[in-house]
Amino acid sequence: MTTKRGATIIGWGKALPSKIVTNGDLERIVDTSDEWITTRTGIKERRVASPEQAASDLALDAAQAALKRANINAEELDLIIVATVTPDMAFPATACLLQHRLGAQNASAFDLEAGCSGFLYGLTIGCQFVQNGTYNHVLIVGVDILSRITNWQDRNTCVLFGDGAAAVILGPCESGQGILSTYLGSDGSGGSHLYLPAGGSRRPLDQLALEQGLQYIHMNGPEVFKFAVRIMGEAAAEVLKRADLKLEDVTYLIPHQANQRIIDAAARRLHLPTERVLVNLDRYGNMSSASIPVALAEAADDGRFQPGDVLVLVGFGAGLTWGAAVLKWDQV
Ligand code: ACO
């Protein structure tokens, strides 16, 4: 048994498709308006992958940027975790495709699926391996191409989502630095609030399923909304307690980016002023597993974080699942 040490983010990167779809563009596809989408969600535009772009393509770009920032080679990676609900294909894992394309021949690789909480699940798993000394470098990618499982005729869902990827690399640090605490949870009783009916062993994708639109996201928006507002506050409070910190200690909250009203309600419950809450959904919509790490990578690239800043990451998603992490930023 090795001595417990810390785990910290030593590299980060993001990749976003270049194509922008605005609310005005959606007005021409479904019966909606920029006014409705903006006031009900806060979203103004989102990125949409080109037909030839798959999850591993965006993941590759994000991972290469993270390797460069960490100043390590792909051969130095010990583990690759890809969090996604839109893998290139059911198998092999997108993480294995990524491992090959990166040339990370010393890494083990697997995908995990925890809906929009996937990145936080990956971060928590990677953190354990680094803290207990099993691995030195773990790459965690959050990537989703939700445009492929979105029904573009359904105004209830198509206005919400976007495509993107972001990656972080964890490395060792002193105990008590870097990732201070994590918290994960699941409630499978809410699985039917957010799901993709066909394409699995329960309901293979046949012609009838296609005709019924079962290849697309099905969502009970109001139920997910209620759950999200409650769980974001609870998860943030719990993860701070585990880090022995208080809300006053938080420099930035980085919430999952599903709806501005969910973020505002969670921030109000936590008594956090808006300037301490990072938001990117106006530009990207809900990118599922990619939302939180894209917000993190963007803010880090913009130089918003100072060493010693306390960041709280908190998200929720299909499952239902939720997750949170507290980090003490230590990069300059
Ligand atoms: N444009 C115009 N009208 C719309 C649109 C639209 N795009 N979408 C829905 N409406 C209509 C509805 O049909 C409804 O009309 P009706 O009253 O005549 O039936 C009306 O607007 C109100 O609908 P509500 O569902 O009450 O709207 P609400 O204020 O709850 O907002 C929303 C809906 C935005 C979906 C909200 O419930 C939400 O954000 N829920 C959480 C979603 C979420 O977080 N999902 C996570 C997904 S993660 C993943 O999938 C990987």
Side-chain angles (χ1 to χ4, degrees), residues 31-32 36 40-41 116 155-156 159-161 194 219 221-222 224-225 258-259 261-262 286 288 316:
D31 180 16
T32 190
W36 192 96
R40 295 300 184 101
T41 72
C116 304
R155 69 176 184 173
N156 290 293
V159 302
L160 303 175
F161 304 121
L194 188 52
M219 183 181 75
V224 177
F225 192 100
N259 187 316
R261 291 186 294 138
I262 293 174
N286 176 353
S288 189
F316 63 91

Side-chain angles (χ1 to χ4, degrees), residues 5 48 59 125-126 130 174 186 275 295 324:
R5 56 186 184 170
V48 173
I125 295 167
V130 175
E174 271 177 47
S186 309
E275 62 272 16

Side-chain angles (χ1 to χ4, degrees), residues 98 120 148 155 177 196 226 228 269 271 276 330:
L98 178 63
L120 289 167
R148 296 282 151 71
R155 69 176 184 173
Q177 300 296 314
L196 192 78
K226 276 188 279 175
R269 283 181 178 213
H271 306 291
R276 282 164 60 196
D330 58 3

Side-chain angles (χ1 to χ4, degrees), residues 236-319:
E238 174 60 26
V239 81
L240 277 166
K241 194 169 105 192
R242 291 181 181 200
D244 207 14
L245 290 173
K246 297 191 169 51
L247 280 163
E248 306 85 87
D249 301 315
V250 177
T251 318
Y252 288 113
L253 179 76
I254 309 182
H256 176 49
Q257 310 278 318
N259 187 316
Q260 185 67 50
R261 291 186 294 138
I262 293 174
I263 293 174
D264 290 345
R268 266 197 309 277
R269 283 181 178 213
L270 293 166
H271 306 291
L272 280 176
T274 48
E275 62 272 16
R276 282 164 60 196
V277 181
L278 298 189
V279 173
N280 65 12
L281 62 73
D282 50 328
R283 287 169 293 133
Y284 303 132
N286 176 353
M287 297 181 287
S288 189
S289 293
S291 277
I292 290 175
V294 166
L296 178 94
E298 213 162 49
D301 283 339
D302 290 348
R304 284 186 79 165
F305 304 146
Q306 303 300 317
D309 280 358
V310 172
L311 314 180
V312 175
L313 283 48
V314 61
F316 63 91

